[in-house]
Amino acid sequence: MLRFLLRRLLIAIPTMFIVVTLAFFMMRAAPGSPFVNERHLSPEVEANVMAKYGMDRPLVVQYANYVGGVLHGDLGPSLKYKDKTVLRIISEGFPNSLLIGGMAMGIAVILGVSLGVIGALRQNGPADYTAMGVAVLGVCIPTFVTAPMLVLLFASNLGVLPTGGWPTATQPFSSAWRYFVLPVVVLSLPQIAIISRLTRAGMIEVLRSNYVRTARAKGLPEHSIVLRHALRGAILPLVSYLGPATAGVITGSLVVERIFSLPGIGKAFVASALMRDYTVVMGVVILYAGLILFLNLVADVLYAALDPRVRLS
Amino acid sequence: MESAVLKGRSLWDDARRRLLRNRAAVTSMVVLALLVVVAVVGPYLAPFPFDQINKNDVWMKPLTGGHLLGSDALGRDLLARLMIGLRVSLAVGVVATFVSLVIGVIWGAAAGYIGGRADEIMMRVVDILYSLPFIFFVILLMVTFGRNFILMFLAIGAVEWLTMARIVRGQTLSLKQREFIEAARAAGLSRRAIVARHIVPNLLGPVVVYVTLTIPGVILAESFLSFLGLGVQEPMTSLGSLISKGAQDMELAPWLLIFPSIVMVVTLMAFNFIGDGLRDAIDPKDR
């Protein structure tokens, strides 16, 4: 177990290094500079600004400085928001993204697993077809279609939910929840679809396996067979889906935060990329790469814990 | 397990029969064929060029002023734009998938067939690339090099080849153990000949399935970029940028959002049903 963790860490380090390097040099290769849009800077002033951020030094030196900073947990100052560091921008936006993404994943797991189990138990029945129909729709309708459509229906036409925005910090949850409904629904739909398909396939396979037959032979009640014995085996594929799911939710949040104008990190990322705010872009990429790596690791460890046939080595 | 006699041609005959019995897949193939014809031929037959600005036809509702599906803020005909957008999206899908196919098959087959250390290193590279948040890098690429059409094909294709390489490698590893490969080796065929003549053709099944599932993935990725304003540039358009524009103006002109969304969803669904149908047909034990 320990050796496995160590080996995975040894892979994670070069991966993170590649992420940092790629992000750094791609951002610097981009035409335009973070200071371009500011009112006509005289060449002297611009040189001064560049010097302030160390951007007059050779690229390799800048790179070394940046990597050194990252190793110390310092992601540098934002180049656009003069009074903010990258860490501050991340710590302002990330909790909001995490809240929406976490709720979406929670709902997706509960609904997806239920739909999948129902589908597998009533295979080829009407419930199965309904569940799988929902799943197909969820996969085929991208977030950037569902989001505006739902806004059009529930916010513009019916007026029951806000078109976007974020509750103020003091707002009680009894009224704040309205802001979360549409973003969470939009983010969770594709995940519900994928999770229900995975669960259904896993469940069908497990229900045919010997240990489930043994459980039946022992005369266990059906709900205990399904919930205690079969489900545990059937959700294994789900565990390894954890990493990709996170990536999916993060990607989705880029769209969702933009459409609903949520103060999350995805919105900050797109805006920074367009404004050439190098340090913010790199910071977000590093954060998300680390998050995905970490969750992949968690998935592997969980998988081994749930499936005694798997030995980590 | 079928007996060895049933392999060869009859396997594909079987697969075709199973595929044609699958109603969803057959319907999807017809729909997709229609969409392709519309995308290729349609723009030449449309009453308006897709980029023609008609100052008097601004915000026309569907079925008014000769605009079957209405017009946008510049009076451009939505039907014509939709057909061009569909063409762009399909082209991106096919070309980028082809890029991923070529890289993935070569990489995966080589890793699987050579095996040993080379396999280990090649697959470790795939693992590392796999754990990068790729959409961010595609976004960075688009920002870095401007919205370049060809680059977009390459960028998306370069992202999608990883899964292909994994599938191909796994398949190659299991093929390698089979008797007919042994026979080919005993007959004195070179490594390259064995890979080209015996391994790659036998990989076709899973690869075809994955290709039909990659195309919609790529279309989605392109649309996603276009939605964020990083895809194709005006006046050129794609399904994603049409939806993006439509979403901005949806209160005023919902048809600009609804029609492109329908086309997008129908296209993605057709590909998915065909992919699922092919998988069931080629690999019946996976049902």
Side-chain angles (χ1 to χ4, degrees):
Chain A
M1 184 70 190
L2 198 67
R3 270 188 60 190
F4 168 81
L5 281 177
L6 272 177
R7 225 180 62 186
R8 287 297 297 262
L9 276 178
L10 283 181
I11 302 176
I13 292 168
T15 308
M16 283 312 284
F17 185 72
I18 293 173
V19 169
V20 174
T21 309
L22 269 178
F24 182 87
F25 286 104
M26 279 169 79
M27 237 17 237
R28 287 307 156 91
S33 105
F35 313 116
V36 143
N37 292 335
E38 281 164 43
R39 280 156 296 161
H40 300 291
L41 294 176
S42 65
E44 294 83 25
V45 175
E46 198 181 338
N48 268 337
V49 175
M50 298 290 269
K52 183 182 163 212
Y53 291 106
M55 285 169 68
D56 54 340
R57 323 252 286 275
L59 203 57
V60 185
V61 177
Q62 292 182 39
Y63 172 67
N65 284 341
Y66 184 72
V67 173
V70 171
L71 288 177
H72 288 99
D74 175 17
L75 296 172
S78 160
L79 303 179
K80 275 286 169 192
Y81 302 100
K82 295 274 143 28
D83 51 338
K84 286 188 184 177
T85 63
V86 175
L87 274 179
R88 170 114 181 267
I89 290 180
I90 287 178
S91 65
E92 280 172 3
F94 189 58
N96 299 339
S97 300
L98 199 64
L99 178 68
I100 291 291
M103 284 200 276
M105 269 321 278
I107 288 174
V109 168
I110 294 169
L111 281 183
V113 169
S114 316
L115 276 177
V117 170
I118 293 171
L121 292 179
R122 308 248 183 284
Q123 209 182 335
N124 296 327
D128 185 21
Y129 283 128
T130 316
M132 286 308 108
V134 172
V136 170
L137 282 178
V139 170
C140 292
I141 307 186
T143 41
F144 52 81
V145 171
T146 38
M149 289 283 195
L150 290 178
V151 169
L152 196 59
L153 181 64
F154 287 102
S156 306
N157 287 352
L158 298 179
V160 285
L161 293 167
T163 52
W166 195 252
T168 52
T170 51
Q171 209 163 338
F173 191 75
S174 56
S175 64
W177 64 272
R178 287 172 184 278
Y179 291 95
F180 302 140
V181 176
L182 287 180
V184 168
V185 167
V186 169
L187 264 186
S188 61
L189 273 179
Q191 303 305 326
I192 292 175
I194 296 169
I195 289 175
S196 67
R197 282 176 97 158
L198 283 173
T199 311
R200 177 176 178 270
M203 199 69 185
I204 287 175
E205 206 182 310
V206 167
L207 284 176
R208 289 194 200 121
S209 67
N210 289 333
Y211 73 89
V212 169
R213 197 176 332 131
T214 309
R216 285 237 159 79
K218 284 201 302 186
L220 291 181
E222 187 66 24
H223 65 88
S224 153
I225 294 174
V226 171
L227 295 180
R228 292 218 14 222
H229 297 263
L231 193 58
R232 183 167 157 163
I235 58 165
L236 277 179
L238 265 195
V239 174
S240 36
Y241 176 65
L242 184 62
T246 319
V249 170
I250 291 171
T251 310
S253 73
L254 294 183
V255 166
V256 167
E257 287 177 12
R258 188 182 154 101
I259 293 180
F260 296 103
S261 43
L262 310 180
I265 203 74
K267 194 167 155 244
F269 175 77
V270 177
S272 309
L274 291 173
M275 292 189 307
R276 307 274 185 281
D277 197 341
Y278 303 138
T279 45
V280 176
V281 170
M282 290 186 284
V284 176
V285 170
I286 291 168
L287 170 77
Y288 277 151
L291 192 68
I292 291 174
L293 277 178
F294 173 70
L295 283 168
N296 273 323
L297 182 66
V298 170
D300 284 348
V301 173
L302 262 182
Y303 200 100
L306 283 172
D307 188 348
R309 288 168 304 185
V310 176
R311 287 277 165 267
L312 299 177
S313 61
Chain B
M1 243 0 238
E2 293 118 306
S3 71
V5 190
L6 274 176
K7 297 266 175 211
R9 266 192 91 84
S10 67
L11 183 72
W12 288 98
D13 288 342
D14 257 12
R16 190 178 316 125
R17 226 190 48 233
R18 274 194 292 265
L19 182 63
L20 291 180
R21 269 210 313 252
N22 183 333
R23 251 180 296 161
V26 172
T27 315
S28 299
M29 283 191 278
V30 174
V31 169
L32 190 64
L34 282 177
L35 286 173
V36 170
V37 170
V38 167
V40 174
V41 184
Y44 300 114
L45 305 177
F48 302 89
F50 77 97
D51 52 356
Q52 181 183 305
I53 294 171
N54 306 300
K55 280 193 186 122
N56 303 324
D57 291 3
V58 174
W59 301 125
M60 292 297 253
K61 286 206 172 74
L63 293 175
T64 53
H67 298 283
L68 204 56
L69 298 182
S71 68
D72 67 7
L74 298 172
R76 293 177 300 191
D77 184 56
L78 180 61
L79 178 63
R81 292 186 68 68
L82 198 49
M83 290 192 290
I84 283 287
L86 181 63
R87 181 193 277 182
V88 169
S89 287
L90 287 175
V92 173
V94 171
V95 174
T97 302
F98 185 75
V99 171
S100 79
L101 177 72
V102 171
I103 307 177
V105 168
I106 293 176
W107 194 273
Y113 192 74
I114 300 168
R117 268 205 94 64
D119 177 34
E120 180 117 341
I121 294 170
M122 287 171 92
M123 282 301 120
R124 194 49 46 83
V125 170
V126 171
D127 284 347
I128 289 181
L129 291 177
Y130 218 82
S131 52
L132 300 181
F134 252 111
I135 198 68
F136 291 96
F137 280 97
V138 175
I139 290 175
L140 283 189
L141 260 180
M142 301 316 292
V143 171
T144 311
F145 297 104
R147 292 142 206 195
N148 182 328
F149 231 58
I150 295 164
L151 191 82
M152 185 147 71
F153 290 149
L154 289 178
I156 300 177
V159 175
E160 297 282 343
W161 71 271
L162 297 167
T163 317
M164 188 73 83
R166 278 186 170 175
I167 292 173
V168 169
R169 172 182 171 267
Q171 199 70 12
T172 309
L173 279 180
S174 73
L175 280 174
K176 210 164 71 167
Q177 314 290 334
R178 303 276 277 274
E179 289 84 355
F180 69 94
I181 300 293
E182 187 110 359
R185 210 177 295 138
L189 259 68
S190 68
R191 258 188 181 185
R192 175 186 285 200
I194 293 177
V195 171
R197 288 285 307 277
H198 296 286
I199 302 266
V200 170
N202 278 295
L203 293 172
L204 226 55
V207 167
V208 166
V209 172
Y210 189 66
V211 161
T212 45
L213 295 173
T214 303
I215 295 176
V218 171
I219 292 178
L220 215 53
E222 185 280 324
S223 304
F224 178 77
L225 288 176
S226 292
F227 188 86
L228 295 180
L230 292 161
V232 293
Q233 262 177 320
E234 288 280 309
M236 214 6 115
T237 191
S238 72
L239 292 181
S241 44
L242 282 173
I243 293 173
S244 170
K245 284 271 146 50
Q248 284 163 22
D249 299 330
M250 65 184 178
E251 317 267 338
L252 206 58
W255 60 90
L256 290 178
L257 170 66
I258 291 168
F259 291 119
S261 300
I262 292 174
V263 174
M264 174 101 200
V265 172
V266 168
T267 310
L268 293 178
M269 255 169 140
F271 274 112
N272 273 307
F273 280 130
I274 295 173
D276 284 351
L278 275 172
R279 180 170 47 208
D280 291 347
I282 291 173
D283 188 9
K285 60 178 182 296
D286 209 40
R287 237 195 272 240

